[in-house]
Amino acid sequence: MTAQIIDGKLMAQQLREQLAQKVAELPTVPHLAVILVGNDEASIIYDRNKQKAAEAIGMKCTIHHLDEQTPQDQLLDLIKQLNSDSSVNGIIVQMPLPKHLNSEQIIESIDHTKDVDGFGIYNIGLLHSNNSSAMVAATPQAVLYMLQQTLGDVVGKHAVIIGRSNIVGRPLASLLLNHHCTVTIAHSKTVNLSQITASADIVVAACGVAGLVKKDWVKPGATVIDVGINRVNGKLCGDVDFENVKEVASYITPVPGGVGPMTVTMLLNNTLQAYLEQNQREQNA
Ligand code: NAD
């Protein structure tokens, strides 16, 4: 068996076309504010990509690029100003922040209705209590969307997620549980990981260990989603041994060209959601 490749680039392009149509019909332009502190090269590239993607579907995206030494208070002041600016619909702070800054306090200072990264505790609480108004982090949403597009639905499937971070593993576990999967979360201290993944209908690798998931870790016919982004000898690769795992899986995502492009698209989708909900609230007020 050779797996069918789940083409994240194509899926993202199709979804972005749908988003562009919706944005074109709005009376005003949704606006995403991105805060970038310092000069981390990868972060600068990520944020430029977000801006390009937003502008390509007719959204506005402003990058607030602050000095590496920016003090906590100055950053909090900027967020306060963006929170009260009604022309701004979504706010994200690019992580990781320089070490002198308190990321938790920064994230919690973002108005939860503008928290389009879904990293704040309020939105996490909504997600964990299966409340549909939760703003859900983009990567878990991208994974769910790709699974639904590929499998139809995920009801009753056993999903094993490798990784328990706050931005991928944990919110994804809640999201899949809310969609009636049976969910196992594995992590760096999990014993017999390969046996656990071999029992899964869906394996999601989100651990940042290049090529960790091997062919004999995967049940024949399973679906494999690779969230990992690693650089080995200058080349991008995921957490799955793609060339060999694709011989046993039914469906598999590549790296690059899998979850990555879908993640940016889901961030834009969240910005549109935030815009619509803010406008609805204004009309009801
Ligand atoms: P993280 O470092 O915060 O968390 C990694 C998790 O993997 C931890 O919970 C850890 O317990 C687990 N882990 C580490 N080694 C393991 C091992 N040998 N066996 C089992 N579990 C192990 O990372 P993160 O922010 O969740 O990101 C994970 C990966 O996904 C990274 O490669 C990151 O670059 C990538 N990522 C991709 C996207 C995207 O859009 N494609 C978005 C976010 C993160």
Side-chain angles (χ1 to χ4, degrees), residues 139 162-165 167-168 187-188 193 206-209 227-229 260 263:
T139 305
I162 309 173
R164 57 175 164 183
S165 73
I167 63 166
V168 189
H187 48 80
S188 55
L193 178 55
C207 56
V209 182
V227 179
I229 302 175
T263 293

Side-chain angles (χ1 to χ4, degrees), residues 15-32 49-62 87 89 268-269 271-272 275:
L15 187 56
R16 285 180 201 189
E17 281 165 16
Q18 291 171 27
L19 290 175
Q21 271 178 18
K22 288 182 187 165
V23 169
E25 288 163 10
L26 298 173
T28 54
V29 176
H31 182 187
L32 172 66
N49 285 343
K50 284 170 196 158
Q51 189 175 40
K52 261 198 234 158
E55 289 172 355
I57 63 157
M59 279 186 186
K60 181 175 171 185
C61 176
T62 307
S87 75
N89 307 105
L268 302 178
N269 193 40
T271 306
L272 176 61
Y275 171 98

Side-chain angles (χ1 to χ4, degrees), residues 46 138-140 142 161-170 185-190 193 205-209 212 217 226-230 237-239 255 258-264:
Y46 286 148
T139 305
I161 300 165
I162 309 173
R164 57 175 164 183
S165 73
N166 286 340
I167 63 166
V168 189
R170 283 170 202 263
I185 309 179
H187 48 80
S188 55
K189 304 281 188 258
T190 297
L193 178 55
C207 56
V209 182
L212 179 77
W217 291 31
D226 193 349
V227 179
I229 302 175
N230 310 290
C237 65
D239 293 344
V255 177
V259 178
M262 277 303 304
T263 293
V264 178

